[in-house]
Amino acid sequence: MPRVGVLAIQGDFLEHRQVLERIGVDAPEIRLPHQLDDVDGLIIPGGESTTIVQLIDIYGFRKTLKAKSKAGMPIWGTCAGMIVIASSLSDRRPEPLGLMNIRVSRNAFGRQFDSFEQDLTVEELEGPPFHGVFIRAPAVKKIGDGVRVMASLDDGRPVAVRQDRLFATAFHPELTDDTRIHEMFVRIVEGAN
Ligand code: GLN
């Protein structure tokens, strides 16, 4: 079984760890850059992207994360994590890491849709639709070369994207009982997908 680290500097990292543990995957908390050497993949959780990026820079993660990603480490960003790994934002802050070829807009669904839920058909996921939980979610504004849309809202807006071993969801699979998307990421980490 691979080891999937969860960036544990802010946000709902505990929920991700609990899902991974439920499916039998070792999920150490990553609080310092050198701990990335001990894991095969990384989840960047939801939370507050400006705070997460600030702490990434304070703890010196930026260079290591870029190098790890370039070397092929699978990374999955959920919600704020999607903002963190994007190549550009339509917002002035924060400065994203520029790992995945997407342009993202923060809090893009407006006040009326601050939080909402929608059943999603996710590519490569067997079984019934996946219940998507969205909380002040980002929107993917532009899809760059090599990026594949894995799920969209009913209105066509993409909410799950993949670029090789990088994966991002605007919603929060860690807040549901459904472990299928975590299992999918583990398969990416195993190199089986
Ligand atoms: N709106 C938050 C941000 O901009 C993300 C929200 C979330 O991760 N649930 O960082």
Side-chain angles (χ1 to χ4, degrees), residues 8-23:
I9 51 180
Q10 198 268 336
D12 73 339
F13 52 88
L14 198 63
E15 285 79 357
H16 274 292
R17 295 190 58 224
Q18 285 165 348
V19 180
L20 289 169
E21 274 159 19
R22 257 180 46 220
I23 58 173

Side-chain angles (χ1 to χ4, degrees), residues 46-50 78-80 83 106-107 135-136 172:
E48 184 55 46
S49 57
T50 47
T78 56
C79 202
I83 298 166
R106 298 176 59 198
N107 304 326
I135 304 166
R136 301 184 65 224
H172 291 272

Side-chain angles (χ1 to χ4, degrees), residues 30-116:
I30 303 296
R31 294 178 180 273
L32 288 169
H34 74 86
Q35 295 171 319
L36 289 168
D37 292 337
D38 303 328
V39 293
D40 308 301
L42 179 74
I43 295 177
I44 302 179
E48 184 55 46
S49 57
T50 47
T51 309
I52 295 177
V53 170
Q54 234 168 36
L55 293 169
I56 279 177
D57 285 327
I58 286 172
Y59 292 120
F61 270 107
R62 187 178 287 264
K63 226 175 91 191
T64 316
L65 281 172
K66 284 186 157 196
K68 291 280 182 195
S69 170
K70 218 168 166 187
M73 176 184 263
I75 300 175
W76 171 20
T78 56
C79 202
M82 172 191 262
I83 298 166
V84 172
I85 67 172
S87 55
S88 68
L89 304 182
S90 9
D91 312 77
R92 277 185 35 230
R93 290 178 50 207
E95 190 195 332
L97 294 181
L99 308 183
M100 193 183 213
N101 208 355
I102 48 172
R103 184 171 175 80
V104 170
S105 173
R106 298 176 59 198
N107 304 326
F109 291 92
R111 221 183 293 161
Q112 234 174 326
F113 289 101
D114 221 25
S115 297
F116 63 98

Side-chain angles (χ1 to χ4, degrees), residues 11-12 15-16 19 44-48 76-81 115-116 120 130-138 159 169-178 181-182:
D12 73 339
E15 285 79 357
H16 274 292
V19 180
I44 302 179
E48 184 55 46
W76 171 20
T78 56
C79 202
S115 297
F116 63 98
L120 306 165
F130 194 93
H131 193 65
V133 176
F134 295 82
I135 304 166
R136 301 184 65 224
V159 290
T169 53
F171 54 101
H172 291 272
E174 76 283 8
L175 300 183
T176 64
D177 288 333
D178 195 334
I181 294 194
H182 284 78

